[in-house]
């Protein structure tokens, strides 16, 4: 068996609370946080900006291999263009499941994620972190919640009042993410599943931090943290 790496993987469907929980857990444990959804969203913003069709696998793959994405202090930029607001907008949200299903897009971004976080000390959130990107992550958590609860949270987050619309968008993305042939969304065999319907983000984060302390801190292992941003 390979040595575990100091990565805390958090996977799960949209609206399960991954981003909020990952930020809280990272703060509790003094780790850094990588939102891999933001990488897929950034590539999608670049694809739309260049007028490329989201179903054009080859051109989307070229974009993913070529662009430079920077994530820092909650801001996202692609080749120096700030796309922080755009990546959360309706256009990117509608196209991202299709763009992120292309194998060449995934290959480029998986490599990027491994380079960033391989030295450990990272909380990495996404859809395939425990299954594909870091199969040796020391702790894998699969966060989930019922579609109606996830829709309510997402609606609050984006200021949308039409709950049915948000829920059907969430269900559409769930289906796209979990049925794509390359790296479908699913819990890793050794993931701990946490259902967040009746828990606050603080409660979920505290539970995950406790799991990490048992798994990692008590193993006596350490990690090397990169010094640059
Ligand atoms: O978590 P999010 O809503 O920002 O993710 C946006 C999209 O990116 C989602 O539809 C699936 C995709 N994604 C992915 O395929 N793999 C990841 N590791 C993270 C996100």
């Amino acid at each position: 068996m390979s040595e575990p790496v100091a990565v805390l993987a958090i996977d799960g469907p949209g609206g399960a609370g991954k981003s909020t929980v990952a930020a809280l857990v990272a703060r509790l444990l003094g780790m850094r946080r990588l939102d891999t959804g933001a990488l897929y969203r950034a590539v999608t913003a670049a694809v739309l900006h260049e007028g490329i069709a989201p179903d054009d696998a080859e051109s989307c793959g070229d974009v993913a291999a070529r662009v430079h994405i920077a994530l820092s202090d909650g801001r996202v930029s692609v080749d120096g263009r700030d796309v922080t607001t755009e990546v959360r907008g309706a256009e990117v949200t509608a196209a991202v499941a299709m763009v992120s299903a292309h194998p060449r897009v995934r290959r480029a971004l998986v490599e990027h994620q491994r380079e960033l976080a391989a030295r450990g000390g990272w909380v990495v959130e996404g859809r395939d972190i425990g299954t594909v990107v870091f199969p040796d992550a020391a702790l894998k958590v699969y966060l989930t919640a019922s579609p109606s609860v996830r829709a309510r949270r997402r609606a609050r987050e984006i200021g949308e009042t039409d709950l049915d619309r948000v829920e059907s968008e969430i269900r559409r993305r769930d289906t796209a993410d979990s049925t794509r042939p390359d790296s479908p969304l699913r819990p890793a065999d050794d993931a701990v599943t946490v259902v967040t319907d009746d828990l606050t983000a603080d409660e979920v984060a505290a539970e995950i931090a406790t799991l990490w302390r048992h798994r990692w801190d008590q193993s006596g292992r350490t990690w090397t943290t990169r010094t640059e941003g």
Side-chain angles (χ1 to χ4, degrees):
M1 227 183 91
S2 323
E3 280 285 297
V5 293
V7 164
L8 198 168
I10 302 184
D11 288 305
K18 293 191 302 289
S19 295
T20 311
V21 166
L24 290 169
V25 170
R27 198 167 331 131
L28 285 172
L29 295 172
M31 294 167 82
R32 299 208 228 173
R33 168 191 166 222
L34 174 59
D35 170 7
T36 63
L39 300 175
Y40 289 94
R41 286 173 179 273
V43 167
T44 304
V47 161
L48 297 177
H49 186 68
E50 293 188 25
I52 292 165
D55 64 353
D56 180 344
E58 283 314 301
S59 303
C60 290
D62 290 343
V63 171
R66 170 173 29 92
V67 292
H68 175 76
I69 304 167
L71 304 177
S72 103
D73 295 332
R75 304 212 70 82
V76 187
S77 68
V78 183
D79 288 337
R81 189 172 73 90
D82 191 312
V83 292
T84 312
T85 308
E86 203 177 315
V87 293
R88 296 288 146 202
E91 266 190 88
V92 167
T93 300
V96 65
M98 182 170 279
V99 172
S100 60
H102 301 315
R104 280 187 55 220
V105 171
R106 304 206 68 79
R107 224 178 301 139
L109 292 185
V110 165
E111 199 178 311
H112 186 81
Q113 293 159 46
R114 288 190 181 137
E115 276 171 14
L116 261 175
R119 295 191 201 189
W122 289 78
V123 176
V124 187
E125 55 163 299
R127 302 289 195 287
D128 58 344
I129 309 307
T131 50
V132 174
V133 187
F134 289 107
D136 298 323
L139 177 64
K140 301 174 187 178
V141 174
Y142 190 80
L143 271 199
T144 188
S146 61
S148 60
V149 168
R150 291 191 281 128
R152 226 179 305 136
R153 288 181 187 154
R154 208 14 85 86
R156 207 179 311 135
E157 194 181 294
I158 59 177
E160 167 69 65
T161 48
D162 186 347
L163 268 185
D164 288 343
R165 214 182 61 76
V166 179
E167 185 169 333
S168 61
E169 167 72 16
I170 277 189
R171 286 182 186 274
R172 190 184 67 76
R173 252 178 349 117
D174 282 359
T175 306
D177 292 345
S178 54
T179 57
R180 67 180 175 220
D182 188 338
S183 326
L185 168 68
R186 65 168 183 83
D189 293 339
D190 50 352
V192 178
T193 296
V194 180
V195 181
T196 66
D197 282 37
D198 301 316
L199 297 172
T200 65
D202 283 316
E203 287 168 334
V204 176
E207 188 174 326
I208 295 173
T210 303
L211 285 170
W212 177 265
R213 290 188 181 111
H214 281 294
R215 276 290 165 87
W216 185 266
D217 294 355
Q218 291 181 8
S219 73
R221 292 189 175 91
T222 54
W223 65 74
T224 333
T225 309
R226 287 156 60 97
T227 46
E228 72 269 37

